[in-house]
Amino acid sequence: MHEGYGFSTRAIHAGQEPDPLTGAVAVPIYATSTYKQDGVGGLRGGYEYSRSGNPTRTALETCLASLEGGNRAFAFASGLAAEDTVLRALLAPGDHVVIPDDAYGGTFRLFDKVASRWGLHYTATPITDLAAVTACMSEGTRMIWVETPTNPLLNVADIAGLADLAHQHDSILVVDNTFASPYLQQPLALGADIVVHSTTKYLGGHSDVVGGAVITATDEHAEPIAFHHNSMGAVAGPFDAWLTLRGIKTLAARMDRHCDNAEAIAEYLVGHDKVADVRYPGLVSHPGHDIAGKQMKRYGGMISFRHKDGEEAAVAFCDRTEVFTLGESLGGVESLVEHPGRMTHASAAGSPLEVPSDLVRLSVGIEDRDDLLADLRQALD
Ligand SMILES: *Cc1c(COP(=O)(O)O)cnc(C)c1O
């Protein structure tokens, strides 16, 4: 249903028909673990137990599948739970995966410390470089994992190019679409096989819920994911699913405002004499600008830059902002600032994922642009 409608119409209505019993316009929070059966096996709405299925979660999953252009979606308790389930469902011990050398730290830890104990092998490589990725493909490679833009360096990978490469090698392409959200980028249409999200970020959008999602393109992948979703059990609860669905309704409006503010801030930072190496895919100087222009609708709300006066100055800057709240995470309505080297990416020190010590990351929110600019100005000067 709603397939012919535009993005925002589907964000607001897909999977969210008014409640047939009461007419309630907002999807109810079905806080129930089980469902009365009309005689043994007589299921009224197809539901028997809420790990296997819950109507609030179904509404979210239907909406997510529509927004990513997938055949099915699955809502998880967190982004990492979604990622773990993808690995178990689609790979086997002994398989090899190519991952970005600047993957989200938690993703790297999942491959390095958890999946490796189960027998999965990985190679971390610059995922923006198709030749480098090609060189990592081996007999046992079954998956390329990519995140674009990346966290926290905002590198941009060529999704269509990676999808072709994966398919030439009997592999699949998984795209972590958290930074872009389906409003800005739809990897399945570019040839990816699977999309994963931390819905904690832009999809939820209000820093009030942790969640994850997997969206598949075909039944071949949906079926093993569905089986493992239920068998491993890391499902989204009904209240979390409801909060996420509520956030998604305003995704397009929020993302446009995130992009407007981030574009203005990126330009301001480029002109500041204490700032070096502004990383924002919307800047013509960004190495991935052309690819981003092809595969993204706009360039998103994340920016990182280096403080010319070094690590201590970068840390002091993070401590001085007032409208930008010092904190981890991203993608909410409120602007956040952080020092990746000592916060989100501290555990990457000494690994291929280590980040520059003078790096600052901004998650640009949807407050008034002039207040954000003034805040950065007072913290830099
Ligand atoms: C936050 C994040 C994750 C992990 O999601 P959680 O919801 O925190 O488990 C995965 N990928 C990216 C790009 C993220 O930013």
Side-chain angles (χ1 to χ4, degrees):
M1 189 151 192
H2 290 297
E3 262 157 39
Y5 290 107
F7 187 91
S8 285
T9 308
R10 286 179 287 124
I12 294 166
H13 296 290
Q16 303 164 77
E17 312 306 325
D19 179 40
L21 197 61
T22 63
V25 165
V27 171
I29 302 168
Y30 285 89
T32 188
S33 58
T34 190
Y35 305 82
K36 173 180 161 49
Q37 304 196 0
D38 296 322
V40 173
L43 307 182
R44 291 183 193 184
Y47 296 98
E48 55 189 9
Y49 183 61
S50 278
R51 171 165 34 73
S52 314
N54 174 284
T56 316
R57 198 175 90 212
T58 302
L60 170 61
E61 292 171 339
T62 305
C63 186
L64 285 168
S66 172
L67 297 184
E68 286 285 3
N71 73 331
R72 287 188 69 183
F74 305 89
F76 287 84
S78 71
L80 283 173
E83 294 184 19
D84 186 32
T85 304
V86 167
L87 300 184
R88 309 291 181 121
L90 302 181
L91 299 171
D95 286 348
H96 174 253
V97 184
V98 179
I99 68 168
D101 68 356
D102 60 347
Y104 169 72
T107 299
F108 180 71
R109 184 177 57 199
L110 180 68
F111 279 100
D112 191 54
K113 298 272 191 306
V114 182
S116 62
R117 295 183 60 206
W118 182 63
L120 211 63
H121 307 290
Y122 75 86
T123 308
T125 196
I127 208 84
T128 53
D129 179 350
L130 284 180
V133 179
T134 308
C136 297
M137 303 299 285
S138 66
E139 273 288 277
T141 308
R142 291 283 83 85
M143 179 183 284
I144 299 175
W145 185 284
V146 63
E147 200 184 295
T148 180
T150 63
N151 178 14
L153 296 174
L154 282 308
N155 288 318
V156 173
D158 176 356
I159 296 174
L162 288 168
D164 283 346
L165 182 62
H167 298 150
Q168 282 159 20
H169 288 82
D170 195 19
S171 289
I172 60 170
L173 178 67
V174 178
V175 179
D176 180 338
N177 202 26
T178 299
F179 265 42
S181 90
Y183 178 61
L184 299 181
Q185 176 171 278
Q186 290 163 12
L188 300 180
L190 296 163
D193 300 282
I194 307 283
V195 167
V196 301
H197 277 284
S198 169
T199 57
T200 314
K201 317 293 171 50
Y202 287 104
L203 284 163
H206 296 74
S207 305
D208 54 8
V209 60
V210 170
V214 176
I215 301 95
T216 52
T218 63
D219 284 340
E220 183 196 346
H221 297 134
E223 277 164 21
I225 302 269
F227 175 79
H228 284 76
H229 192 216
N230 183 44
S231 301
M232 293 168 69
V235 300
F239 184 54
D240 289 356
W242 184 86
L243 279 172
T244 307
L245 198 55
R246 184 187 215 266
I248 287 174
K249 289 176 191 281
T250 56
L251 180 66
R254 283 186 287 108
M255 287 314 294
D256 273 325
R257 173 86 166 206
H258 283 293
C259 294
D260 289 343
N261 283 348
E263 283 165 16
I265 287 172
E267 278 193 17
Y268 165 73
L269 290 171
V270 165
H272 199 287
D273 59 6
K274 292 258 186 264
V275 170
D277 196 15
V278 180
R279 291 167 175 265
Y280 183 64
L283 294 171
V284 188
S285 58
H286 186 288
H289 179 70
D290 289 344
I291 295 170
K294 270 189 229 146
Q295 67 191 22
M296 298 177 76
K297 185 179 167 79
R298 296 185 67 183
Y299 303 100
M302 299 300 299
I303 301 175
S304 61
F305 67 89
R306 298 175 70 170
H307 199 298
K308 275 195 184 154
D309 294 345
E311 177 169 2
E312 292 310 322
V315 169
F317 167 84
C318 295
D319 287 340
R320 264 201 305 272
T321 57
E322 283 165 9
V323 184
F324 279 83
T325 302
L326 178 61
E328 302 196 352
S329 198
L330 60 110
V333 290
E334 61 290 293
S335 293
L336 296 174
V337 60
E338 70 123 355
H339 184 268
R342 291 197 192 169
M343 295 170 63
T344 49
H345 292 67
S347 63
S351 82
L353 282 84
E354 185 168 333
V355 296
S357 62
D358 52 6
L359 192 77
V360 171
R361 188 186 77 179
L362 302 176
S363 172
V364 179
I366 64 170
E367 298 95 336
D368 290 292
R369 185 182 62 188
D370 291 346
D371 292 334
L372 297 178
L373 287 168
D375 191 36
L376 296 175
R377 194 172 299 123
Q378 66 79 23
L380 275 169
D381 292 347

